[in-house]
Amino acid sequence: MLLTKHKTTSGSRWAVDGHFLPTGFNLSTLLEMRRVTMLEALTNLSGGESAFGEDEAPIDPYQEVWAAGVTYLQSRDARKAESKVADMYQKVYEAERPEIFSKSLGWRVSGNGGAIRIRKDSQWNVPEPELVLAINRYNEIVGYCAGNDVSSRDIEGENPLYLPQAKIYNGSCALGHGVLICEPDAIRDIQIRLEIQRAGKTIFNGEANTSTMKRTFPELVEALTRELDFPQGVFLMTGTCLVPDNFTLQLEDVVLIQVGQTKIQNVVSV
């Protein structure tokens, strides 16, 4: 099942597999349910009128997005290369406790076709394609979507304590194009692809796989929810495995990310 959110003249509407769910339906209510109950509800509510309207980020305004860092070897190496305290990232990569931080509230998240931004006080900005877990209030993984954890590498590289400024600002988080509801076991081996276009030409094209992640998804979920409750569910970015070398985003660059069966396209804007 694919959950999508659409902009209509009467407000935002959620849909499943291309058909609108009842007016007033929201993801927060769905993620208050246990996984089995949620699937039954979606089955019973599906089959409405065909969905239409622009894509919106598949998240409700006050749901939270969190992120895990240094979960792939590629990410560890990139952080070490940019940082003045490189050994710290080696320690994080090897540590029992993962790096986890708050990324965004839903109302700040861009959707498929929306804009992402680069900080005006940064000279080194990159997209970070990630598989994003959708988690219900009972800490069950119910699905995933594509995500872009846009980051200012020079700010974090100057001092790791600047990570919130490098990671959390307007236009730094994108999710799309929908949430694929699936069994947790189906997310173990997912392909992630990143393409960056500039002036109509592809300047970066790469792919990787979640199977190369050092940590497991249940491990990350347990760490996030160990001392935090999310009554209306939560999204968790699980780290990047594609890091373009010697690259920074520019205005009007187009970033295309595909994660399994979900995808998102964004343009760098002011």
Side-chain angles (χ1 to χ4, degrees), residues 65-83:
V65 181
W66 285 67
V70 200
T71 56
Y72 291 88
L73 184 64
Q74 298 95 321
S75 179
R76 182 208 66 179
D77 291 345
R79 297 290 90 79
K80 289 173 67 175
E82 77 192 22
S83 181

Side-chain angles (χ1 to χ4, degrees), residues 4-139:
T4 52
K5 190 178 182 183
H6 304 264
K7 183 183 295 184
T8 74
T9 56
S10 58
S12 298
R13 291 279 306 271
W14 283 91
V16 60
D17 293 336
H19 296 274
F20 276 135
L21 292 162
T23 303
F25 171 92
N26 59 67
L27 185 62
S28 298
T29 298
L30 193 67
L31 294 185
E32 290 176 354
M33 305 176 188
R34 287 198 174 274
R35 191 175 189 284
V36 173
T37 305
M38 179 194 77
L39 293 173
E40 292 175 351
L42 284 175
T43 299
N44 292 334
L45 292 172
S46 63
E49 64 178 308
S50 295
F52 58 87
E54 296 179 22
D55 287 343
E56 291 189 336
I59 186 172
D60 286 338
Y62 290 98
Q63 287 182 306
E64 300 177 49
V65 181
W66 285 67
V70 200
T71 56
Y72 291 88
L73 184 64
Q74 298 95 321
S75 179
R76 182 208 66 179
D77 291 345
R79 297 290 90 79
K80 289 173 67 175
E82 77 192 22
S83 181
K84 297 178 181 179
V85 284
D87 64 325
M88 186 195 74
Y89 293 95
Q90 180 68 35
K91 293 177 180 177
V92 170
Y93 184 74
E94 295 175 348
E96 179 180 353
R97 183 189 297 271
E99 176 195 17
I100 295 180
F101 56 92
S102 176
K103 178 67 180 179
S104 183
L105 285 175
W107 63 267
R108 281 199 181 97
V109 177
S110 295
N112 185 42
I116 54 175
R117 294 183 61 254
I118 50 181
R119 289 186 64 114
K120 296 177 182 178
D121 58 355
S122 172
Q123 302 301 314
W124 188 8
N125 300 276
V126 296
E128 295 189 5
E130 306 191 12
L131 183 145
V132 185
L133 297 173
I135 304 161
N136 67 14
R137 71 172 299 167
Y138 300 99
N139 307 333

Side-chain angles (χ1 to χ4, degrees), residues 220-242:
L220 295 177
V221 173
E222 191 282 326
L224 171 63
T225 60
R226 189 178 300 164
E227 294 290 340
L228 274 177
D229 294 329
F230 298 98
Q232 296 180 328
V234 64
F235 287 81
L236 177 60
M237 293 182 148
T238 58
T240 191
C241 49
L242 289 168

Side-chain angles (χ1 to χ4, degrees), residues 119-190:
R119 289 186 64 114
K120 296 177 182 178
D121 58 355
S122 172
Q123 302 301 314
W124 188 8
N125 300 276
V126 296
E128 295 189 5
E130 306 191 12
L131 183 145
V132 185
L133 297 173
I135 304 161
N136 67 14
R137 71 172 299 167
Y138 300 99
N139 307 333
E140 297 173 310
I141 297 172
V142 300
Y144 72 90
C145 68
N148 190 350
D149 173 18
V150 190
S151 304
S152 297
R153 291 183 63 179
D154 53 346
I155 293 178
E156 182 181 356
E158 180 180 350
N159 189 323
L161 293 180
Y162 295 161
L163 181 139
Q165 296 172 74
K167 293 283 191 177
I168 307 167
Y169 58 90
N170 294 333
S172 68
C173 182
L175 300 178
H177 66 295
V179 177
L180 187 72
I181 304 299
C182 61
E183 295 287 340
D185 287 347
I187 314 178
R188 291 180 178 176
D189 186 7
I190 298 290

Side-chain angles (χ1 to χ4, degrees), residues 247-260:
F247 171 84
T248 187
L249 287 169
Q250 297 181 9
L251 290 178
E252 299 185 2
D253 282 356
V254 178
V255 179
L256 302 98
I257 293 171
Q258 182 166 353
V259 179

Side-chain angles (χ1 to χ4, degrees), residues 169-219:
Y169 58 90
N170 294 333
S172 68
C173 182
L175 300 178
H177 66 295
V179 177
L180 187 72
I181 304 299
C182 61
E183 295 287 340
D185 287 347
I187 314 178
R188 291 180 178 176
D189 186 7
I190 298 290
Q191 187 178 60
I192 298 178
R193 301 185 65 183
L194 170 65
E195 181 180 353
I196 304 170
Q197 299 174 355
R198 181 172 295 165
K201 297 182 179 180
T202 297
I203 60 173
F204 179 85
N205 199 343
E207 61 182 51
N209 195 288
T210 59
S211 62
T212 63
M213 183 185 290
K214 180 180 186 292
R215 302 184 186 273
T216 67
F217 294 139
E219 176 186 358

